[in-house]
Each structure stands twice: as C-alpha cells, then as structure tokens.
Amino acid sequence: MMIGDTMAYRWTNDLTHADVTPKAAFLNRRQILAGTAGLGAIGLVGTSANAAGEELTPNTLEEITSYNNYYEFGTGKSDPANNAHQLETADWKITIDGMVDNPGEYALADLMDGLDIEERIYRFRCVEAWSMVVPWNGVELADILNKAGVQSDAKYVAFETVVQPDNMIGVRRGVLDFPYVEGLRLDEAMNPLTLMATGIYGEPIANQNGAPIRLVVPWKYGFKSIKSIVRMTLTDEEPDTSWNKTNAREYGFYSNVNPEVSHPRWSQASERVIGGGLFAARQDTLMFNGYEKDVASMYDGMDLSEKF
Ligand SMILES: Nc1nc2c(c(=O)[nH]1)N[C@H]1C(S)=C(S)[C@@H](COP(=O)(O)O)O[C@H]1N2
Ligand SMILES: [Mo]
C-alpha cells in the first residue's frame, strides 16, 4: 500500500476505487464554465476566478464524489459514495450557541437567506498526502457567524456533524468517537477564505461530500473541513477535535498544511494528485497549501512544528 495513504487506525483499503480510475479527461476552462451554466438556480453570483486569482484545473465531479473520507459511512474511500445516500438532509437545522447575541436553532434556508453563493476553486489537501482541486459553491463562514452576532469574548468556534445511527454504518460500527467534532480559532473562522459549502460544480453538494452544508478550510488538512454540520458553538476554550482526541501525537488542533512538518508516520513534503491514476506523479506540497499570503500572518510568531 502507499505509505501515508491512511489515517484509519483500525482498517483501511489497500487499493481504492480511485487508484484504478483512468486518468480524468482534461477539462478546460470553457467546459468548466459551461458545466456551471445552471448555477443561477441555486443563486450563484458566480465568478470564474477564484479568490486568490489562480488558475486551477478542478477534478471531475466523478472523482470528487467517489473518493471520500466520511467515516460515519465507513472508512474505505468508496464507502461514502456507496452508503451516504442514506443520509437524511431534509429540513436541515443548525444550532448556533455559546457566545453569540442570537443563539438558537436556525433553518439552513434562513441562515443562507440574503447571502450570495460564490464559486471558490480551492486546492484540497488531505493529511494522508493526497489532493484534489474542488470548485465549491458556498458562503463565507464569517457572514453566517455575523448573523448570529459573535460576542467579544469568543475565541473559537466548535463544529459538530449530525449523528444518524440508523443511516450511518460507521457510527453503528463505532469506527470513531462520534459526533465528529472540529474547531477553528475565531480569526481562522472569520478569514475570508473560510467557506461554508453547499454545492460543488453548481449542484447541491453530494451527501458523501457533506450535504447539505460543510466547512472548507483550504489551508488546513482536509479533516478540519467537517461535513454535514448541525451545531456551531462560540467559545473561549480551544475545542476538542475528533482526530486530536483519537491520536493527539499525530493530529494537532491547527493542522495547517506544512510540507516541512512531517506526520510521525510519513512525509508531508509531497502529495498524490487524485485523478492521475495509479502511477500519478506526486507534486510538491505548498506551505499553507498555497494560501500562505492570505493566512500566514495569523500565525506570526507561532512555532508551527510545535503547534502542528
Ligand atoms: N463528519 C466528518 N467530516 C469529515 C470527515 C469525516 O470522516 N466525518 N473526514 C474528513 C477528512 S479526513 C477529509 S480528507 C475530508 C474529505 O472531504 P471530501 O470527501 O469531500 O473530499 O472530509 C473531512 N470531514
Ligand atoms: Mo483527510
């Protein structure tokens, strides 16, 4: 198996679906735009350029929806695609509580009301040393948090994924301590790059990608980008995070992408690009996954190997 290709601590597939997928057809810019022609239906005020003004070639929707980590639906890369149709997403509500002026349980539609859904084409780098490029549709987390009114003593946001044991085989098997939880420092949460995604390629986000709404933090390892969110709590204490609880030595709270700080079991200096096929070339991993100029100042003076 490929070294560094697993964060599963009980079991993992040696060869996954994506490993045997033939190289994806090259999608040019025009085709990508044509493919997003229907975006008006979900209120996209779309731009083709991404926030950082980079030209990235997104992975295909097939790749993005067939090679996933969503342990509630199993630990294999193709398990979420096979099992996540069971996720119940109707009448989705998100509780926002803790240090906010307007705590409560919000209907997703009310939270999104009045916000412009943008397209953000971001690099996505899993801690297991594979990567994709994903054309998300979503809103800045800051816009949602501002609706709730963040109080001045809040320092972190804690996030929680839905738990539906009847629908989630990984929850029934107890492959992790559920609910899946994550957290960001408040400045990270308020950073303009931090997205709450509701779509990919202009379509509602697939269940296996975290329907109906998930976090996307493109400069951090993928496990920070928690799926199917039902609670956000503003707090003044650093929140627990699922992978840190599971293995604190290997997975820190910050988990910023950093080619110079190795995982205890593998290097993070390079990554395998999904879609390249079994013999895909690796590419160098970029500091903060290529978003250094947008985010590095948040960590000024911080020892990034100590606060990994
Ligand atoms: N609730 C929940 N969120 C999760 C995960 C998970 O298992 N459960 N896996 C994380 C990991 S390790 C990664 S790499 C990304 C994968 O997102 P994708 O399947 O959309 O590529 O989701 C993250 N969010
Ligand atoms: Mo990951």
Coordinates of all heavy atoms in Angstrom, one line a residue, residues 7 69 126-127 222-223, ligand 2:
M7 N -5.2 7.4 7.4 CA -5.3 7.9 8.7 C -6.2 7.0 9.5 O -6.5 7.2 10.7 CB -5.8 9.4 8.8 CG -7.1 9.6 8.3 SD -7.5 11.3 8.0 CE -7.4 12.0 9.6
N69 N -13.5 10.8 2.3 CA -13.4 10.4 3.7 C -14.6 10.9 4.4 O -14.9 12.1 4.4 CB -12.1 11.0 4.4 CG -10.9 10.2 4.2 OD1 -10.9 9.0 4.0 ND2 -9.7 10.9 4.1
C126 N -5.6 16.4 1.8 CA -5.8 15.5 2.9 C -4.5 15.3 3.7 O -3.4 15.2 3.0 CB -6.4 14.2 2.5 SG -6.6 13.0 3.8
V127 N -4.6 15.0 5.0 CA -3.4 14.7 5.8 C -2.7 13.4 5.3 O -1.6 13.2 5.6 CB -3.8 14.7 7.3 CG1 -4.5 13.4 7.6 CG2 -2.5 14.9 8.2
G222 N -7.4 18.2 5.3 CA -8.8 18.0 5.0 C -9.7 17.7 6.1 O -10.9 18.0 6.1
F223 N -9.2 17.0 7.2 CA -10.0 16.6 8.3 C -10.6 17.7 9.1 O -11.6 17.6 9.8 CB -9.3 15.5 9.2 CG -8.1 16.0 9.9 CD1 -8.3 16.7 11.1 CD2 -6.8 15.8 9.5 CE1 -7.2 17.1 11.9 CE2 -5.7 16.3 10.2 CZ -5.9 16.9 11.4
Ligands
MO2 MO -8.3 13.7 5.4

